[in-house]
């Protein structure tokens, strides 16, 4: 069961005695927890029947005692434990006993963020039996752009594949951060117009012409002038273009080119599926594979690893980021 299905059930008044929300990605945990906090009870009821606790400031005795109370102004009371990962889980006997026979009129939410809950613990199975357990896993990097596209579509907007890819490259897989930027975009772009790369530049601050996405494209086409223009821009703006992000995106790109070389079926549909990219970009991988042989692609990945070590100070003390990138691009193109 995913977060959207849980919220749909809650909207339909299908409330359960316990919600154990856990995982490395906090977005879905916050989505469900915040929805319960804001919508299960009316505002007038919350002062009597809703309690919000924080893991570092509470204990299992307090949680269980609160959970055993009967609601005063509603059919249910809501107990939300935020940052539940900070609880002393080795001392969870009281909670374990409660979850074995929970109050039907209590909705207990345990928001365990930034890490997976230990599934070997007995309390995990008991919570699963008493209510529902939602694991919120980090998305892989190649899933971020499709997630952005789907999220935007669900909200009634459209986003160009290039714009979604730009956001994915620069914002990474912190979905809360991604959503904040998407909400900003949707406040400024009319619903009847597709969100473009220019909108990303104007509203988020990622240059539509000078970014790692465009650098990869320039390298694929062996556009020497454009590639070095972008690297010069990175060198002049190192704080907004950290080399670790650039190298990570380039490594992912050339790894996909290497995979492309080994594909037996190079139809656009097969390439999109196997590389985890939007069909809009499949032609570019064909161009890149023609520009760089299988052997050269292996070499480029080695150059990237070497550059990563140098930017961390190994065999290249006090070398500027811009100089490392210029050397890297020169090696790729020659």
């Amino acid at each position: 069961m995913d977060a959207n299905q849980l919220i749909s059930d809650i909207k339909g008044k299908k409330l359960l005695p316990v919600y154990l929300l856990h995982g490395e990605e906090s977005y879905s945990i916050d989505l469900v927890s915040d929805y319960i906090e804001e919508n299960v009870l009316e505002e007038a009821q919350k002062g009597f029947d809703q309690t919000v606790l924080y893991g570092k400031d509470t204990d299992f005795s307090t949680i269980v005692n609160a959970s055993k109370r009967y609601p005063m102004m509603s059919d249910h009371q809501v107990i939300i434990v935020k940052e539940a990962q900070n609880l002393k889980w080795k001392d969870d006997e009281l909670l374990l006993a409660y979850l074995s026979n929970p109050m039907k009129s209590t909705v207990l939410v345990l928001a365990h963020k930034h890490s997976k809950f230990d599934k070997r613990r007995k309390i995990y199975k008991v919570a699963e039996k008493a209510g529902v357990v939602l694991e919120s896993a980090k998305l892989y990097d190649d899933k971020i752009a499709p997630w952005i596209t789907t999220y935007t579509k669900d909200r009634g907007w459209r986003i160009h594949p290039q714009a979604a890819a730009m956001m994915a490259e620069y914002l990474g897989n912190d979905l809360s951060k991604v959503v904040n930027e998407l909400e900003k975009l949707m406040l400024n772009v009319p619903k009847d117009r597709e969100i473009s790369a220019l909108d990303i530049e104007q509203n988020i601050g990622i240059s539509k012409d000078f970014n790692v996405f465009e650098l990869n494209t320039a390298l694929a086409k062996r556009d020497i002038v454009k590639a070095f223009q972008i690297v010069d821009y990175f060198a002049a703006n190192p704080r907004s273009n950290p080399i670790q992000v650039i190298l990570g995106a380039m490594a992912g790109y050339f790894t996909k080119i290497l995979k492309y070389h080994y594909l037996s079926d190079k139809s656009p549909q097969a390439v999109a599926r196997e590389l985890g990219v939007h069909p809009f970009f499949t032609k570019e991988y064909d161009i890149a594979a023609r520009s760089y042989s299988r052997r050269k692609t292996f070499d480029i990945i080695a150059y990237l690893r070497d550059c990563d070590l140098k930017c961390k100070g190994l065999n290249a003390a006090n070398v500027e980021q811009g100089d490392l990138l210029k050397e890297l691009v020169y090696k790729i193109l020659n």
Side-chain angles (χ1 to χ4, degrees):
M1 183 178 292
D2 62 16
N4 291 327
Q5 182 59 57
L6 268 184
I7 289 173
S8 178
D9 288 349
I10 295 165
K11 283 181 180 178
K13 306 300 182 183
K14 297 178 182 177
L15 295 171
L16 297 170
V18 60
Y19 294 83
L20 174 56
L21 316 173
H22 74 109
E24 297 173 339
E25 173 52 61
S26 63
Y27 172 73
S28 293
I29 295 172
D30 288 337
L31 191 67
V32 175
S33 176
D34 291 348
Y35 185 85
I36 291 173
E37 182 177 356
E38 294 165 10
N39 294 281
V40 168
L41 299 179
E42 301 290 339
E43 285 300 322
Q45 299 168 335
K46 291 179 182 178
F48 297 94
D49 293 329
Q50 183 158 289
T51 303
V52 177
L53 303 168
Y54 289 85
K56 66 178 181 179
D57 300 321
T58 192
D59 54 32
F60 290 112
S61 177
T62 301
I63 295 168
V64 169
N65 286 336
S67 299
K68 286 182 175 179
R69 293 197 301 257
Y70 286 95
M72 296 177 64
M73 303 290 289
S74 172
D75 292 334
H76 292 88
Q77 69 153 340
V78 174
I79 311 294
I80 299 173
V81 184
K82 298 186 177 184
E83 307 292 343
Q85 71 277 5
N86 293 323
L87 287 164
K88 295 179 180 178
W89 285 97
K90 291 182 179 179
D91 305 319
D92 61 9
E93 292 85 0
L94 282 173
L95 183 62
L96 183 61
Y98 170 77
L99 294 183
S100 298
N101 186 27
M103 297 278 289
K104 302 300 183 185
S105 57
T106 293
V107 176
L108 174 60
V109 181
L110 299 166
H112 185 288
K113 296 165 66 173
H114 310 307
S115 63
K116 296 180 182 180
F117 194 89
D118 187 349
K119 297 179 182 180
R120 297 169 299 179
R121 298 188 66 81
K122 187 176 180 181
I123 199 165
Y124 182 91
K125 294 296 183 184
V126 174
E128 202 171 32
K129 185 176 180 180
V132 67
V133 175
L134 171 71
E135 180 178 340
S136 181
K138 283 277 188 187
L139 287 184
Y140 290 112
D141 290 343
D142 63 349
K143 303 298 182 185
I144 303 301
W147 190 92
I148 290 170
T149 300
T150 300
Y151 181 90
T152 308
K153 182 180 178 181
D154 289 346
R155 297 294 303 276
W157 272 262
R158 293 173 296 123
I159 187 167
H160 191 278
Q162 184 177 0
M166 284 171 59
M167 290 188 70
E169 292 285 6
Y170 271 86
L171 299 177
N173 59 2
D174 183 341
L175 296 186
S176 297
K177 184 177 181 181
V178 171
V179 167
N180 285 339
E181 297 299 341
L182 284 172
E183 294 296 334
K184 188 190 303 182
L185 278 169
M186 289 185 282
L187 285 173
N188 291 283
V189 179
K191 255 188 177 181
D192 60 355
R193 181 167 67 75
E194 185 178 63
I195 297 170
S196 68
L198 181 60
D199 293 316
I200 302 299
E201 180 175 45
Q202 292 176 339
N203 294 282
I204 299 179
I206 303 169
S207 171
K208 69 179 180 64
D209 297 313
F210 299 99
N211 58 71
V212 70
F213 182 81
E214 291 298 327
L215 175 59
N216 285 335
T217 299
L219 292 172
K221 297 176 179 178
R222 302 191 70 85
D223 186 337
I224 298 172
V225 173
K226 180 66 173 177
F228 278 102
Q229 283 178 340
I230 294 171
V231 170
D232 285 340
Y233 177 84
F234 290 163
N237 300 274
R239 294 186 65 182
S240 55
N241 298 278
I243 191 169
Q244 291 81 7
V245 173
I246 295 167
L247 293 178
M250 292 177 70
Y253 185 73
F254 280 96
T255 299
K256 287 186 174 72
I257 295 171
L258 187 60
K259 289 180 180 177
Y260 181 92
H261 276 295
Y262 285 94
L263 292 179
S264 56
D265 182 356
K266 290 185 170 62
S267 65
Q269 296 80 6
V271 171
R273 181 178 64 253
E274 295 298 327
L275 300 188
V277 300
H278 193 281
F280 177 83
F281 299 111
T282 56
K283 186 177 180 181
E284 183 176 312
Y285 285 96
D286 180 65
I287 294 170
R290 294 174 190 273
S291 296
Y292 304 101
S293 67
R294 191 181 299 178
R295 177 67 261 170
K296 179 64 174 180
T297 307
F298 273 114
D299 290 341
I300 291 170
I301 292 171
Y303 301 154
L304 286 161
R305 289 173 180 163
D306 182 59
C307 186
D308 180 57
L309 292 173
K310 286 180 177 178
C311 79
K312 294 172 180 174
L314 188 65
N315 299 324
N318 301 318
V319 179
E320 294 291 333
Q321 167 180 315
D323 292 333
L324 288 173
L325 287 173
K326 289 174 186 177
E327 179 188 27
L328 173 63
V329 169
Y330 176 83
K331 286 180 176 179
I332 291 172
L333 292 169
N334 289 279

